[in-house]
Amino acid sequence: MKTIGLLGGMSWESTVTYYQIVNIVVKERLGGLHSARCLLYSVDFQEIEACQSAGDWDKSARLLGAAARALEKGGADFFVICTNTMHKVAPQVQAAVSIPLLHIGDVTAAEILGRGLRTVGLLGTRYTMEEKFYCGRLRQQGLEVLIPDAAERALVNEVIFQELCLGQIRAASRKKFQAVLAGLARRGAEGVILGCTEIGMLLRPEDADLPLFDTTLLHATAAANLALAD
């Protein structure tokens, strides 16, 4: 079994889910008392969010690069960044180490394409929804990506940072997100990417009429499967 490097803490609420999923997958596949071999480096999200707000992506890349080097030094065979937004600096973080990065966008695109879908909606932080680092990577792999309108993007971003990252799950916000999903469906979305690792805490498959692609679940499952691959 390979050792997974988990670069987490963004936020820690969703990183907990990563840890749970990798261990569940390993136990299901190997049985007995097996659990995942993994290392966790959990950053202080306040520092990372301050970089985001200030637009200081170079500093955030240095912080995450140092964390990735610690994982490599600790014996990780590969690593995952346990958040969608900070894949904005994935190239710089990957360049800081020699072990491979399992990219959340690639895992997500593979799942969508494997189910025969081409047009998907995307929910996430405003950075993830509006900038090219994420949508562009998905489009390069043949997907058409739809994002909510400006007011809806502001709503989604606010709920992520003011509620979900603080562990607050509110029924009223779920209803607002469902309205955003309905709008994406009317525009032709065949499914919706939950492109923030916290959104899966708010929206479950039964909350939507469209298939939901929970990036936390997909990414963590792929990491566990890669750890067990020959």
Side-chain angles (χ1 to χ4, degrees):
M1 189 192 310
K2 300 180 184 70
T3 299
I4 306 167
L6 299 170
L7 207 175
M10 301 166 282
S11 66
W12 69 261
E13 281 86 359
S14 61
T15 302
V16 168
T17 306
Y18 268 85
Y19 184 73
Q20 289 175 326
I21 293 170
V22 295
N23 281 290
I24 288 170
V25 172
V26 169
K27 181 178 180 180
E28 288 177 346
R29 288 194 51 186
L30 299 183
L33 297 177
H34 284 287
S35 56
R37 290 178 179 164
C38 60
L39 299 171
L40 169 62
Y41 192 111
S42 187
V43 302
D44 180 356
F45 190 33
Q46 181 68 46
E47 291 183 280
I48 301 299
E49 195 282 326
C51 292
Q52 293 175 349
S53 297
D56 195 348
W57 297 100
D58 288 339
K59 181 178 179 180
S60 65
R62 292 193 297 272
L63 291 171
L64 296 189
R69 286 193 294 272
L71 290 172
E72 181 177 35
K73 185 176 180 180
D77 294 298
F78 67 95
F79 74 107
V80 294
I81 301 174
C82 303
T83 172
N84 288 271
T85 297
M86 294 315 298
H87 278 74
K88 179 178 173 68
V89 296
Q92 298 97 305
V93 179
Q94 174 65 93
V97 294
S98 59
I99 57 174
L101 167 68
L102 181 62
H103 196 289
I104 198 168
D106 296 343
V107 169
T108 302
E111 176 68 19
I112 295 166
L113 293 169
R115 293 179 60 173
L117 306 184
R118 289 295 183 273
T119 303
V120 288
L122 172 64
L123 303 182
T125 66
R126 62 184 178 89
Y127 311 105
T128 299
M129 291 186 287
E130 296 174 0
E131 299 189 26
K132 293 181 180 179
F133 74 91
Y134 200 88
C135 290
R137 195 173 184 104
L138 298 175
R139 287 167 179 149
Q140 286 175 357
Q141 297 182 61
L143 293 175
E144 180 179 352
V145 183
L146 306 176
I147 62 173
D149 65 29
E152 291 172 331
R153 294 197 300 272
L155 164 69
V156 171
N157 189 77
E158 180 179 3
V159 169
I160 289 170
F161 283 104
Q162 300 303 319
E163 297 176 24
L164 301 181
C165 286
L166 299 175
Q168 299 175 13
I169 311 301
R170 298 179 180 173
S173 294
R174 181 178 296 110
K175 290 182 179 179
K176 292 175 182 178
F177 271 48
Q178 288 173 319
V180 175
L181 294 178
L184 291 169
R186 287 193 296 270
R187 291 168 54 196
E190 301 169 297
V192 175
I193 298 169
L194 305 186
C196 171
T197 50
E198 283 81 22
I199 298 179
M201 300 188 302
L202 181 68
L203 290 177
R204 302 294 183 183
E206 59 269 23
D207 296 321
D209 295 328
L210 293 174
L212 298 181
F213 295 91
D214 184 343
T215 53
T216 304
L217 175 61
L218 295 175
H219 201 202
T221 299
N225 286 331
L226 179 58
L228 296 175
D230 295 332

